[in-house]
Amino acid sequence: MSSLLARRVAFGCAYSFFFVAAAVAATPNAAEFAVSAAQMQALGITLAPLEKPAAIHGMAYPARVVVPPSGNQVVSAPIAGRVEEILVDEQQAIKAGQPLLRLSSPEYGDLQLKLLEAATKARLTGQTAARERQLFSEGIIPERRVQEANAANQEAAARLRFAEASLRLAGADPAAVRKASEAGTLQDGLVIRARGAGTVVGLDVKAGQRVQGSDALLRLVNTQQLWLDIQIPSDRQQQALSSKATGSIKVVGREASATPMSVGAVVTDNQTVTLRARVAGGGELLRPGEVVQVQVPFAENAAGWALPLPAIARQDDQAYVFVRTEKGFTAQPVTVVSSAGQSVQVTGNLRAGQQVATTSVIALKAAWLGKSGSN
């Protein structure tokens, strides 16, 4: 029963094909030929509307998601000590200023003590200089003592600034420096905070571990700033850079896009170059290190109409597309300006809103020429 139904469908399609071809056999060079809706359905012809000229995306190229150098941060130990507590986990998103870990260090205590001593001495020399100036104004002491007191005060103030800077370099926040300097409040541990927002991608230490100054503690990346390193054919590098004006690079299967930045100076053995692009949208859908597929709109494609490759028919050296009309179709000559994968870019007498056949184009060509479609 199924084989009988298949023979009937095949006979109906062949009959419709013969009917369409016979309708134009008398005028094989006619630009317009009649095809009814029923015949279109029998031949499996589908239509696509022309919207506006646009760049084709074409073939997909491999790309690696990378983090720019400014987006990588290694948090290292500012001084020697012991890791008391780790306050974050791997893959945790953090904010600027958020505590990362707590470090206990005798060196940090010495720095606080030096700051306290410098602050005390600065206050004392300041009071001495003020008293000497008062005595000099009363004519009790010579000016030399005033000069000596001012010099001692300036030296003490410089030592105080140095002690404050040393404590800040050790990782102390301004509030802790102020408390140690003004109120004499000392802390037994140092809390290391994040300088910027990011994601923890690696913990290099464990709680209780002793570290030296400059030892790596953890690593952060800022996933809000991502690049794509795209491998494209070397002969397309100029068009890829010029595509800044034609459209953004699309990530296949993701709602993410990127803008071209630069092309590498080295051509690989596969005759490809690295096109670097900045992710402009959808960065939260990408992960550093993963390989994705992207579509690059090349600049020379921007002026034409993007069509699927099966929509093009050729007769001799001329390319045609079949535009739907009230009676049937018109064979419209076009020029193929570029192609990539299953997409082509054409120019010709086309306008937005027209319907173009995208399947069974061979049957329409045969009907247009009044032949079997083998040419």
Side-chain angles (χ1 to χ4, degrees):
M1 187 66 179
S2 60
S3 61
L4 177 60
L5 178 60
R7 287 196 298 272
R8 288 179 177 177
V9 171
F11 176 80
C13 292
Y15 176 79
S16 299
F17 181 92
F18 175 79
F19 179 81
V20 172
V24 297
T27 57
N29 294 324
E32 185 176 6
F33 54 97
V35 179
S36 67
Q39 292 164 349
M40 287 179 56
Q41 184 177 3
L43 294 174
I45 299 172
T46 58
L47 303 175
L50 293 177
E51 296 180 353
K52 61 180 180 179
I56 59 175
H57 294 295
M59 295 181 62
Y61 299 99
R64 181 177 295 275
V65 182
V66 298
V67 180
S70 61
N72 284 289
Q73 179 185 351
V74 176
V75 179
S76 57
I79 52 179
R82 185 166 65 91
V83 179
E84 291 291 341
E85 184 180 5
I86 299 176
L87 305 175
V88 293
D89 299 321
E90 284 196 64
Q91 307 305 321
Q92 178 180 340
I94 61 173
K95 300 178 181 179
Q98 181 173 339
L100 301 175
L101 50 84
R102 183 176 291 106
L103 190 69
S104 63
S105 169
E107 183 178 345
Y108 182 64
D110 290 341
L111 291 174
Q112 293 182 92
L113 181 59
K114 290 180 180 179
L115 173 60
L116 179 59
E117 292 174 348
T120 302
K121 188 171 183 179
R123 286 193 293 269
L124 179 60
T125 55
Q127 294 171 0
T128 301
R131 185 177 66 256
E132 295 293 280
R133 287 192 295 270
Q134 178 64 31
L135 293 176
F136 173 72
S137 64
E138 296 175 357
I140 301 176
I141 61 174
E143 185 178 4
R144 178 181 56 81
R145 289 184 53 178
V146 177
Q147 294 173 347
E148 292 175 349
N150 288 336
N153 186 35
Q154 292 174 358
E155 180 182 354
R159 291 184 179 278
L160 175 61
R161 290 193 296 269
F162 177 78
E164 291 175 343
S166 298
L167 202 56
R168 285 194 297 269
L169 289 175
D173 54 60
V177 174
R178 187 170 55 254
K179 288 180 180 179
S181 175
E182 297 177 358
T185 303
L186 305 183
Q187 298 178 349
D188 57 357
L190 172 65
V191 177
I192 300 178
R193 301 177 182 271
R195 294 184 178 180
T199 301
V200 180
V201 294
L203 294 174
D204 299 322
V205 294
K206 298 179 180 179
Q209 180 177 340
R210 292 189 176 276
V211 295
Q212 298 299 319
S214 301
D215 285 353
L217 301 177
L218 51 85
R219 286 164 286 128
L220 306 175
V221 296
N222 184 0
T223 56
Q224 300 300 317
Q225 302 175 2
L226 295 176
W227 289 349
L228 295 177
D229 281 352
I230 310 166
Q231 300 302 315
I232 63 172
S234 59
D235 58 351
R236 306 304 296 273
Q237 52 184 314
Q238 294 302 324
Q239 294 89 341
L241 279 179
S242 300
S243 65
K244 292 181 181 180
T246 65
S248 59
I249 296 171
K250 304 295 183 183
V251 180
V252 178
R254 314 278 181 92
E255 293 295 329
S257 60
T259 303
M261 296 172 53
S262 62
V263 173
V266 179
V267 178
T268 67
D269 294 339
N270 296 328
Q271 296 302 299
T272 63
V273 293
T274 300
L275 169 64
R276 176 158 288 174
R278 179 185 294 107
V279 175
E284 67 278 1
L285 303 176
L286 304 174
R287 292 292 178 268
E290 71 172 324
V291 176
V292 296
Q293 298 291 313
V294 300
Q295 293 176 319
V296 182
F298 294 110
E300 72 270 18
N301 301 329
W305 301 86
L307 292 172
L309 183 61
I312 305 299
R314 293 188 178 272
Q315 176 63 18
D316 298 329
D317 294 331
Q318 180 63 55
Y320 294 87
V321 295
F322 294 101
V323 180
R324 181 64 171 163
T325 64
E326 293 183 1
K327 296 180 179 180
F329 285 90
T330 297
Q332 178 63 51
V334 295
T335 300
V336 178
V337 295
S338 64
S339 63
Q342 293 298 308
S343 299
V344 294
Q345 200 80 5
V346 301
T347 57
N349 188 19
L350 301 172
R351 65 180 185 274
Q354 289 180 318
Q355 300 279 334
V356 175
T358 57
T359 58
S360 300
V361 173
I362 295 179
L364 290 177
K365 176 184 174 182
W368 171 47
L369 299 176
K371 299 178 181 182
S372 62
S374 60
N375 291 334

